[in-house]
């Protein structure tokens, strides 16, 4: 009997390289299905219906909302966007895993309807690198870049609620972690407090941590991971420093080392 596919939501801040990682993933995993959104806006030059978006009239979109035919939907600049259930369900019934490139609000809508959905958050290797990538695009003003960085701070704070965290240091490594997360989903129970992470990513983050100054009053926590003299995220870092090969780590550990400007809070 053919197994039914699963749904995977992929989120991450602007500039993290989601599109590049997903393109490389689909180049290697042609059995995956990429969910195409529906929208009420007009096609732009070069856009093809059913390839870039499902372009539908506003009346049809509202009918679909009323009949609960979307996994999630939202309005943006006067137009509506949503993820139709039927295409996702059809692909899963065919045994294909479905990838949705969805922002956090949409991810919350989907998981409220389908708690079994697996969420993967793609994060930058550091805050400095995220800012560099946004600037290197050369398409946005400094005002827009700062706005994107401000939003990224909020998004990174929610990353610990995701099932897997992928650090996009290199595309090759990020794709390997994505494939590993998909594989593990079939062999691990959803909702576990910890998930296995790629140790190369962990070590990269810890090496970055070692470059900043840790306040003196927190140093004792190195030998006592549960010490209440240190904030929770310092305890996470200590857990990583003291880990044994094969240990599992909280997703929050991986999020907290990207400390924005590279300094510990006072």
């Amino acid at each position: 009997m053919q197994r039914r596919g699963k749904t995977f939501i992929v989120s991450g801040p602007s500039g993290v390289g989601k599109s590049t990682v997903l393109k490389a993933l689909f180049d290697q995993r042609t059995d995956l299905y990429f969910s195409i959104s529906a929208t009420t806006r007009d096609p732009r030059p070069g856009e093809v219906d059913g390839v870039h978006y499902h372009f539908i009239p506003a009346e049809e979109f509202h009918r679909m909302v009323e009949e609960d035919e979307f996994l999630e939907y939202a309005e943006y600049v006067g137009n509506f966007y949503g993820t139709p259930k039927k295409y996702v369900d059809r692909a899963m019934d065919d045994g294909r895993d479905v990838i949705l490139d969805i922002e956090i609000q949409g991810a919350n809508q989907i998981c409220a309807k389908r708690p079994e959905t697996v969420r993967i958050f793609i994060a930058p290797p550091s805050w400095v690198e995220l800012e560099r990538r946004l600037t290197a695009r050369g398409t946005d003003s400094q005002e827009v870049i700062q706005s994107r960085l401000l939003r990224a701070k909020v998004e990174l704070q929610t990353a610990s609620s995701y099932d897997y965290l992928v650090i996009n240091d290199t595309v090759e490594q990020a794709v390997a972690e994505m494939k590993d997360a998909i594989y593990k989903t079939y062999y691990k129970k959803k909702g576990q407090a910890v998930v296995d992470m790629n140790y190369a990513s962990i070590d990269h983050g810890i090496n970055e941590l070692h470059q900043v100054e840790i306040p003196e009053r927190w140093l004792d926590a190195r030998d006592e991971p549960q010490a209440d003299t240190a904030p929770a995220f310092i305890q996470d870092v200590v857990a990583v420093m003291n880990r044994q090969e094969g240990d599992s780590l909280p997703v929050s550990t991986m999020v907290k080392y990207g400390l924005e400007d590279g300094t510990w809070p006072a």
Side-chain angles (χ1 to χ4, degrees), residues 6-33:
K6 295 181 181 291
T7 300
F8 296 84
I9 289 173
V10 179
S11 304
S14 176
V16 78
K18 265 190 317 190
S19 297
T20 302
V21 171
L22 287 176
K23 181 181 182 303
L25 174 66
F26 276 87
D27 285 344
Q28 297 181 30
R29 287 285 307 273
T30 56
D31 57 311
L32 298 174
Y33 175 83

PDB file of all heavy atoms in Angstrom, residues 6-33:
ATOM      1  N   LYS A   6       3.624  13.694   3.364  1.00  0.00           N
ATOM      2  CA  LYS A   6       3.484  14.641   4.475  1.00  0.00           C
ATOM      3  C   LYS A   6       3.633  16.063   3.970  1.00  0.00           C
ATOM      4  O   LYS A   6       4.156  16.295   2.865  1.00  0.00           O
ATOM      5  CB  LYS A   6       4.538  14.365   5.549  1.00  0.00           C
ATOM      6  CG  LYS A   6       4.391  13.010   6.242  1.00  0.00           C
ATOM      7  CD  LYS A   6       5.466  12.831   7.298  1.00  0.00           C
ATOM      8  CE  LYS A   6       5.354  11.470   7.985  1.00  0.00           C
ATOM      9  NZ  LYS A   6       4.142  11.389   8.825  1.00  0.00           N
ATOM     10  N   THR A   7       3.177  17.006   4.770  1.00  0.00           N
ATOM     11  CA  THR A   7       3.286  18.425   4.433  1.00  0.00           C
ATOM     12  C   THR A   7       4.380  19.063   5.271  1.00  0.00           C
ATOM     13  O   THR A   7       4.403  18.902   6.497  1.00  0.00           O
ATOM     14  CB  THR A   7       1.958  19.159   4.677  1.00  0.00           C
ATOM     15  OG1 THR A   7       0.943  18.568   3.866  1.00  0.00           O
ATOM     16  CG2 THR A   7       2.086  20.633   4.320  1.00  0.00           C
ATOM     17  N   PHE A   8       5.274  19.789   4.620  1.00  0.00           N
ATOM     18  CA  PHE A   8       6.373  20.478   5.289  1.00  0.00           C
ATOM     19  C   PHE A   8       6.291  21.973   4.999  1.00  0.00           C
ATOM     20  O   PHE A   8       6.287  22.386   3.839  1.00  0.00           O
ATOM     21  CB  PHE A   8       7.725  19.944   4.802  1.00  0.00           C
ATOM     22  CG  PHE A   8       7.969  18.507   5.146  1.00  0.00           C
ATOM     23  CD1 PHE A   8       7.479  17.497   4.336  1.00  0.00           C
ATOM     24  CD2 PHE A   8       8.685  18.159   6.278  1.00  0.00           C
ATOM     25  CE1 PHE A   8       7.696  16.156   4.642  1.00  0.00           C
ATOM     26  CE2 PHE A   8       8.914  16.823   6.594  1.00  0.00           C
ATOM     27  CZ  PHE A   8       8.407  15.824   5.783  1.00  0.00           C
ATOM     28  N   ILE A   9       6.214  22.759   6.050  1.00  0.00           N
ATOM     29  CA  ILE A   9       6.240  24.214   5.915  1.00  0.00           C
ATOM     30  C   ILE A   9       7.674  24.688   6.082  1.00  0.00           C
ATOM     31  O   ILE A   9       8.378  24.257   7.004  1.00  0.00           O
ATOM     32  CB  ILE A   9       5.354  24.879   6.977  1.00  0.00           C
ATOM     33  CG1 ILE A   9       3.879  24.626   6.666  1.00  0.00           C
ATOM     34  CG2 ILE A   9       5.639  26.370   7.074  1.00  0.00           C
ATOM     35  CD1 ILE A   9       2.939  25.105   7.754  1.00  0.00           C
ATOM     36  N   VAL A  10       8.117  25.558   5.192  1.00  0.00           N
ATOM     37  CA  VAL A  10       9.459  26.140   5.287  1.00  0.00           C
ATOM     38  C   VAL A  10       9.310  27.651   5.462  1.00  0.00           C
ATOM     39  O   VAL A  10       8.689  28.318   4.638  1.00  0.00           O
ATOM     40  CB  VAL A  10      10.299  25.823   4.035  1.00  0.00           C
ATOM     41  CG1 VAL A  10      11.683  26.466   4.156  1.00  0.00           C
ATOM     42  CG2 VAL A  10      10.430  24.317   3.850  1.00  0.00           C
ATOM     43  N   SER A  11       9.858  28.164   6.544  1.00  0.00           N
ATOM     44  CA  SER A  11       9.800  29.598   6.832  1.00  0.00           C
ATOM     45  C   SER A  11      11.198  30.115   7.108  1.00  0.00           C
ATOM     46  O   SER A  11      12.128  29.341   7.359  1.00  0.00           O
ATOM     47  CB  SER A  11       8.902  29.872   8.047  1.00  0.00           C
ATOM     48  OG  SER A  11       7.612  29.349   7.888  1.00  0.00           O
ATOM     49  N   GLY A  12      11.325  31.431   7.095  1.00  0.00           N
ATOM     50  CA  GLY A  12      12.613  32.050   7.395  1.00  0.00           C
ATOM     51  C   GLY A  12      12.579  33.511   7.021  1.00  0.00           C
ATOM     52  O   GLY A  12      11.760  33.922   6.191  1.00  0.00           O
ATOM     53  N   PRO A  13      13.443  34.316   7.606  1.00  0.00           N
ATOM     54  CA  PRO A  13      13.452  35.754   7.326  1.00  0.00           C
ATOM     55  C   PRO A  13      13.911  36.075   5.906  1.00  0.00           C
ATOM     56  O   PRO A  13      14.606  35.283   5.263  1.00  0.00           O
ATOM     57  CB  PRO A  13      14.437  36.306   8.364  1.00  0.00           C
ATOM     58  CG  PRO A  13      15.343  35.163   8.664  1.00  0.00           C
ATOM     59  CD  PRO A  13      14.480  33.932   8.583  1.00  0.00           C
ATOM     60  N   SER A  14      13.505  37.220   5.435  1.00  0.00           N
ATOM     61  CA  SER A  14      13.936  37.697   4.122  1.00  0.00           C
ATOM     62  C   SER A  14      15.453  37.808   4.090  1.00  0.00           C
ATOM     63  O   SER A  14      16.075  38.311   5.031  1.00  0.00           O
ATOM     64  CB  SER A  14      13.310  39.073   3.852  1.00  0.00           C
ATOM     65  OG  SER A  14      13.761  39.604   2.639  1.00  0.00           O
ATOM     66  N   GLY A  15      16.058  37.289   3.014  1.00  0.00           N
ATOM     67  CA  GLY A  15      17.505  37.352   2.877  1.00  0.00           C
ATOM     68  C   GLY A  15      18.221  36.117   3.370  1.00  0.00           C
ATOM     69  O   GLY A  15      19.443  35.996   3.200  1.00  0.00           O
ATOM     70  N   VAL A  16      17.483  35.173   3.962  1.00  0.00           N
ATOM     71  CA  VAL A  16      18.138  33.988   4.509  1.00  0.00           C
ATOM     72  C   VAL A  16      18.520  32.995   3.413  1.00  0.00           C
ATOM     73  O   VAL A  16      19.353  32.117   3.623  1.00  0.00           O
ATOM     74  CB  VAL A  16      17.226  33.311   5.551  1.00  0.00           C
ATOM     75  CG1 VAL A  16      16.125  32.505   4.882  1.00  0.00           C
ATOM     76  CG2 VAL A  16      18.039  32.420   6.493  1.00  0.00           C
ATOM     77  N   GLY A  17      17.927  33.134   2.231  1.00  0.00           N
ATOM     78  CA  GLY A  17      18.279  32.248   1.116  1.00  0.00           C
ATOM     79  C   GLY A  17      17.348  31.064   0.944  1.00  0.00           C
ATOM     80  O   GLY A  17      17.736  30.038   0.389  1.00  0.00           O
ATOM     81  N   LYS A  18      16.099  31.223   1.377  1.00  0.00           N
ATOM     82  CA  LYS A  18      15.129  30.127   1.267  1.00  0.00           C
ATOM     83  C   LYS A  18      14.954  29.652  -0.163  1.00  0.00           C
ATOM     84  O   LYS A  18      14.958  28.451  -0.438  1.00  0.00           O
ATOM     85  CB  LYS A  18      13.749  30.581   1.779  1.00  0.00           C
ATOM     86  CG  LYS A  18      13.465  30.250   3.205  1.00  0.00           C
ATOM     87  CD  LYS A  18      11.993  30.509   3.526  1.00  0.00           C
ATOM     88  CE  LYS A  18      11.579  31.779   2.918  1.00  0.00           C
ATOM     89  NZ  LYS A  18      10.461  32.484   3.075  1.00  0.00           N
ATOM     90  N   SER A  19      14.754  30.589  -1.084  1.00  0.00           N
ATOM     91  CA  SER A  19      14.502  30.225  -2.480  1.00  0.00           C
ATOM     92  C   SER A  19      15.666  29.438  -3.067  1.00  0.00           C
ATOM     93  O   SER A  19      15.474  28.458  -3.791  1.00  0.00           O
ATOM     94  CB  SER A  19      14.235  31.476  -3.321  1.00  0.00           C
ATOM     95  OG  SER A  19      13.065  32.141  -2.876  1.00  0.00           O
ATOM     96  N   THR A  20      16.885  29.860  -2.761  1.00  0.00           N
ATOM     97  CA  THR A  20      18.074  29.177  -3.271  1.00  0.00           C
ATOM     98  C   THR A  20      18.168  27.768  -2.712  1.00  0.00           C
ATOM     99  O   THR A  20      18.459  26.807  -3.447  1.00  0.00           O
ATOM    100  CB  THR A  20      19.342  29.971  -2.900  1.00  0.00           C
ATOM    101  OG1 THR A  20      19.245  31.290  -3.440  1.00  0.00           O
ATOM    102  CG2 THR A  20      20.585  29.293  -3.452  1.00  0.00           C
ATOM    103  N   VAL A  21      17.909  27.632  -1.414  1.00  0.00           N
ATOM    104  CA  VAL A  21      17.965  26.312  -0.784  1.00  0.00           C
ATOM    105  C   VAL A  21      16.886  25.399  -1.350  1.00  0.00           C
ATOM    106  O   VAL A  21      17.143  24.224  -1.667  1.00  0.00           O
ATOM    107  CB  VAL A  21      17.821  26.440   0.745  1.00  0.00           C
ATOM    108  CG1 VAL A  21      17.654  25.068   1.388  1.00  0.00           C
ATOM    109  CG2 VAL A  21      19.030  27.147   1.346  1.00  0.00           C
ATOM    110  N   LEU A  22      15.669  25.926  -1.502  1.00  0.00           N
ATOM    111  CA  LEU A  22      14.571  25.100  -2.010  1.00  0.00           C
ATOM    112  C   LEU A  22      14.818  24.674  -3.456  1.00  0.00           C
ATOM    113  O   LEU A  22      14.515  23.543  -3.836  1.00  0.00           O
ATOM    114  CB  LEU A  22      13.249  25.850  -1.888  1.00  0.00           C
ATOM    115  CG  LEU A  22      12.706  25.982  -0.457  1.00  0.00           C
ATOM    116  CD1 LEU A  22      11.436  26.832  -0.435  1.00  0.00           C
ATOM    117  CD2 LEU A  22      12.434  24.614   0.153  1.00  0.00           C
ATOM    118  N   LYS A  23      15.368  25.568  -4.264  1.00  0.00           N
ATOM    119  CA  LYS A  23      15.670  25.204  -5.650  1.00  0.00           C
ATOM    120  C   LYS A  23      16.672  24.047  -5.683  1.00  0.00           C
ATOM    121  O   LYS A  23      16.510  23.083  -6.439  1.00  0.00           O
ATOM    122  CB  LYS A  23      16.229  26.396  -6.414  1.00  0.00           C
ATOM    123  CG  LYS A  23      16.533  26.077  -7.881  1.00  0.00           C
ATOM    124  CD  LYS A  23      17.108  27.277  -8.602  1.00  0.00           C
ATOM    125  CE  LYS A  23      17.351  26.954 -10.077  1.00  0.00           C
ATOM    126  NZ  LYS A  23      18.234  25.786 -10.284  1.00  0.00           N
ATOM    127  N   ALA A  24      17.705  24.143  -4.854  1.00  0.00           N
ATOM    128  CA  ALA A  24      18.716  23.079  -4.813  1.00  0.00           C
ATOM    129  C   ALA A  24      18.117  21.780  -4.275  1.00  0.00           C
ATOM    130  O   ALA A  24      18.458  20.689  -4.735  1.00  0.00           O
ATOM    131  CB  ALA A  24      19.897  23.523  -3.938  1.00  0.00           C
ATOM    132  N   LEU A  25      17.202  21.903  -3.314  1.00  0.00           N
ATOM    133  CA  LEU A  25      16.547  20.715  -2.767  1.00  0.00           C
ATOM    134  C   LEU A  25      15.725  20.012  -3.838  1.00  0.00           C
ATOM    135  O   LEU A  25      15.796  18.780  -3.985  1.00  0.00           O
ATOM    136  CB  LEU A  25      15.640  21.112  -1.595  1.00  0.00           C
ATOM    137  CG  LEU A  25      14.772  19.994  -1.007  1.00  0.00           C
ATOM    138  CD1 LEU A  25      15.638  18.921  -0.352  1.00  0.00           C
ATOM    139  CD2 LEU A  25      13.774  20.578   0.002  1.00  0.00           C
ATOM    140  N   PHE A  26      14.958  20.780  -4.611  1.00  0.00           N
ATOM    141  CA  PHE A  26      14.117  20.188  -5.647  1.00  0.00           C
ATOM    142  C   PHE A  26      14.946  19.627  -6.809  1.00  0.00           C
ATOM    143  O   PHE A  26      14.510  18.708  -7.496  1.00  0.00           O
ATOM    144  CB  PHE A  26      13.100  21.214  -6.155  1.00  0.00           C
ATOM    145  CG  PHE A  26      11.869  21.297  -5.292  1.00  0.00           C
ATOM    146  CD1 PHE A  26      11.838  22.140  -4.194  1.00  0.00           C
ATOM    147  CD2 PHE A  26      10.752  20.517  -5.561  1.00  0.00           C
ATOM    148  CE1 PHE A  26      10.714  22.210  -3.374  1.00  0.00           C
ATOM    149  CE2 PHE A  26       9.621  20.582  -4.761  1.00  0.00           C
ATOM    150  CZ  PHE A  26       9.604  21.418  -3.660  1.00  0.00           C
ATOM    151  N   ASP A  27      16.125  20.178  -7.010  1.00  0.00           N
ATOM    152  CA  ASP A  27      17.009  19.609  -8.024  1.00  0.00           C
ATOM    153  C   ASP A  27      17.447  18.196  -7.636  1.00  0.00           C
ATOM    154  O   ASP A  27      17.676  17.346  -8.498  1.00  0.00           O
ATOM    155  CB  ASP A  27      18.254  20.493  -8.203  1.00  0.00           C
ATOM    156  CG  ASP A  27      17.944  21.773  -8.977  1.00  0.00           C
ATOM    157  OD1 ASP A  27      16.882  21.834  -9.626  1.00  0.00           O
ATOM    158  OD2 ASP A  27      18.767  22.711  -8.911  1.00  0.00           O
ATOM    159  N   GLN A  28      17.545  17.956  -6.323  1.00  0.00           N
ATOM    160  CA  GLN A  28      17.987  16.648  -5.840  1.00  0.00           C
ATOM    161  C   GLN A  28      16.831  15.713  -5.517  1.00  0.00           C
ATOM    162  O   GLN A  28      16.998  14.494  -5.543  1.00  0.00           O
ATOM    163  CB  GLN A  28      18.856  16.835  -4.582  1.00  0.00           C
ATOM    164  CG  GLN A  28      20.139  17.607  -4.825  1.00  0.00           C
ATOM    165  CD  GLN A  28      20.973  17.737  -3.563  1.00  0.00           C
ATOM    166  OE1 GLN A  28      20.939  16.879  -2.682  1.00  0.00           O
ATOM    167  NE2 GLN A  28      21.742  18.812  -3.466  1.00  0.00           N
ATOM    168  N   ARG A  29      15.676  16.282  -5.178  1.00  0.00           N
ATOM    169  CA  ARG A  29      14.524  15.463  -4.804  1.00  0.00           C
ATOM    170  C   ARG A  29      13.359  15.781  -5.737  1.00  0.00           C
ATOM    171  O   ARG A  29      12.462  16.546  -5.413  1.00  0.00           O
ATOM    172  CB  ARG A  29      14.122  15.751  -3.348  1.00  0.00           C
ATOM    173  CG  ARG A  29      15.061  15.177  -2.299  1.00  0.00           C
ATOM    174  CD  ARG A  29      14.866  13.665  -2.163  1.00  0.00           C
ATOM    175  NE  ARG A  29      13.477  13.304  -1.918  1.00  0.00           N
ATOM    176  CZ  ARG A  29      12.910  13.240  -0.714  1.00  0.00           C
ATOM    177  NH1 ARG A  29      13.631  13.499   0.372  1.00  0.00           N
ATOM    178  NH2 ARG A  29      11.643  12.877  -0.580  1.00  0.00           N
ATOM    179  N   THR A  30      13.372  15.184  -6.910  1.00  0.00           N
ATOM    180  CA  THR A  30      12.334  15.463  -7.901  1.00  0.00           C
ATOM    181  C   THR A  30      10.986  14.851  -7.532  1.00  0.00           C
ATOM    182  O   THR A  30       9.975  15.128  -8.187  1.00  0.00           O
ATOM    183  CB  THR A  30      12.762  14.940  -9.282  1.00  0.00           C
ATOM    184  OG1 THR A  30      13.053  13.528  -9.179  1.00  0.00           O
ATOM    185  CG2 THR A  30      14.008  15.663  -9.785  1.00  0.00           C
ATOM    186  N   ASP A  31      10.965  14.024  -6.482  1.00  0.00           N
ATOM    187  CA  ASP A  31       9.707  13.423  -6.040  1.00  0.00           C
ATOM    188  C   ASP A  31       8.893  14.363  -5.161  1.00  0.00           C
ATOM    189  O   ASP A  31       7.722  14.099  -4.878  1.00  0.00           O
ATOM    190  CB  ASP A  31       9.999  12.136  -5.260  1.00  0.00           C
ATOM    191  CG  ASP A  31      10.919  12.386  -4.066  1.00  0.00           C
ATOM    192  OD1 ASP A  31      11.966  13.033  -4.250  1.00  0.00           O
ATOM    193  OD2 ASP A  31      10.577  11.924  -2.956  1.00  0.00           O
ATOM    194  N   LEU A  32       9.487  15.462  -4.718  1.00  0.00           N
ATOM    195  CA  LEU A  32       8.781  16.418  -3.873  1.00  0.00           C
ATOM    196  C   LEU A  32       7.816  17.262  -4.695  1.00  0.00           C
ATOM    197  O   LEU A  32       7.991  17.437  -5.900  1.00  0.00           O
ATOM    198  CB  LEU A  32       9.769  17.330  -3.151  1.00  0.00           C
ATOM    199  CG  LEU A  32      10.751  16.668  -2.182  1.00  0.00           C
ATOM    200  CD1 LEU A  32      11.745  17.694  -1.667  1.00  0.00           C
ATOM    201  CD2 LEU A  32      10.006  16.007  -1.036  1.00  0.00           C
ATOM    202  N   TYR A  33       6.808  17.806  -4.027  1.00  0.00           N
ATOM    203  CA  TYR A  33       5.831  18.674  -4.694  1.00  0.00           C
ATOM    204  C   TYR A  33       5.870  20.048  -4.042  1.00  0.00           C
ATOM    205  O   TYR A  33       5.747  20.168  -2.813  1.00  0.00           O
ATOM    206  CB  TYR A  33       4.428  18.091  -4.585  1.00  0.00           C
ATOM    207  CG  TYR A  33       3.337  18.983  -5.157  1.00  0.00           C
ATOM    208  CD1 TYR A  33       3.058  18.990  -6.520  1.00  0.00           C
ATOM    209  CD2 TYR A  33       2.596  19.823  -4.325  1.00  0.00           C
ATOM    210  CE1 TYR A  33       2.074  19.813  -7.044  1.00  0.00           C
ATOM    211  CE2 TYR A  33       1.605  20.645  -4.840  1.00  0.00           C
ATOM    212  CZ  TYR A  33       1.347  20.637  -6.201  1.00  0.00           C
ATOM    213  OH  TYR A  33       0.377  21.463  -6.720  1.00  0.00           O
TER     214      TYR A  33
END
